[in-house]
């Protein structure tokens, strides 16, 4: 086995023809086309441009109109779902914050309405004396 075949992982035998073909194709410069290939490419380009010009002048087919309608409405639906999900997240955040504010207000009202003076509640040793 030659060193190039060992490193490539291609087994010896029937794949020699494939390897030779691939090597031949890769060794040829791609920017130098034969005159026959250039002529066929020019003809194919001209035919494609003629078909395009003819197609531009025609009215859109039913299938194309349906596809465009579906595409526009799918985009609108996606945007609507995105806007709705953003609104739901914002609303949920506001609802949670309102609940926290109500709890905080209830705690403030309970502290201020309590019989003990506020200074007593703020004393660091107050909660320790309650447990004793």
């Amino acid at each position: 086995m030659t060193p190039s075949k060992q490193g490539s992982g291609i087994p010896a035998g029937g794949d020699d023809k494939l390897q030779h073909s691939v090597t031949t194709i890769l060794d040829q410069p791609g920017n130098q086309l034969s005159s026959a290939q250039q002529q066929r490419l020019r003809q194919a380009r001209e035919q494609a441009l003629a078909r395009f010009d003819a197609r531009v002048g025609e009215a859109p087919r039913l299938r194309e109109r349906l596809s465009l309608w579906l595409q526009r409405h799918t985009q609108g639906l996606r945007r609507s779902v995105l806007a709705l999900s953003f609104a739901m997240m914002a609303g949920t955040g506001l609802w949670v914050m309102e609940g926290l504010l109500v709890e905080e207000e209830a705690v403030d009202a309970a502290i201020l309405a309590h019989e003990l003076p506020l200074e007593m509640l703020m004393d660091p040793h107050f909660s320790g004396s309650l447990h004793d």
Side-chain angles (χ1 to χ4, degrees):
M1 202 180 283
T2 62
S4 63
K5 289 181 185 175
Q6 288 175 353
S8 67
I10 297 175
D15 290 335
D16 288 337
K17 193 183 243 184
L18 175 65
Q19 184 177 6
H20 177 69
S21 299
V22 170
T23 305
T24 305
I25 291 170
L26 293 177
D27 287 342
Q28 292 181 1
N31 58 357
Q32 296 177 358
L33 300 175
S34 68
S35 60
Q37 290 173 329
Q38 289 177 356
Q39 181 62 27
R40 285 195 312 247
L41 285 173
R42 267 191 234 109
Q43 287 175 352
R45 182 176 186 272
E46 289 172 6
Q47 288 174 356
L49 287 173
R51 283 193 307 261
F52 177 76
D53 289 339
R55 183 69 183 99
V56 167
E58 295 177 6
R61 298 177 186 150
L62 177 63
R63 186 175 193 174
E64 292 171 349
R65 286 187 292 179
L66 183 62
S67 296
L68 287 173
W69 181 86
L70 185 64
Q71 184 180 12
R72 287 186 196 120
H73 284 79
T74 303
Q75 275 183 332
L77 183 63
R78 287 180 184 164
R79 289 178 184 156
S80 300
V81 167
L82 182 64
L84 182 62
S85 62
F86 177 72
M88 287 179 61
M89 288 187 333
T92 303
L94 288 174
W95 178 63
V96 168
M97 289 302 296
E98 182 181 334
L100 293 175
L101 289 176
V102 167
E103 288 178 15
E104 187 176 319
E105 290 173 0
V107 170
D108 289 346
I111 289 174
L112 292 174
H114 204 273
E115 299 171 355
L116 295 174
L118 189 58
E119 293 81 22
M120 183 83 169
L121 294 173
M122 295 179 70
D123 184 19
H125 304 290
F126 175 72
S127 62
S129 63
L130 279 179
H131 294 292
D132 293 335

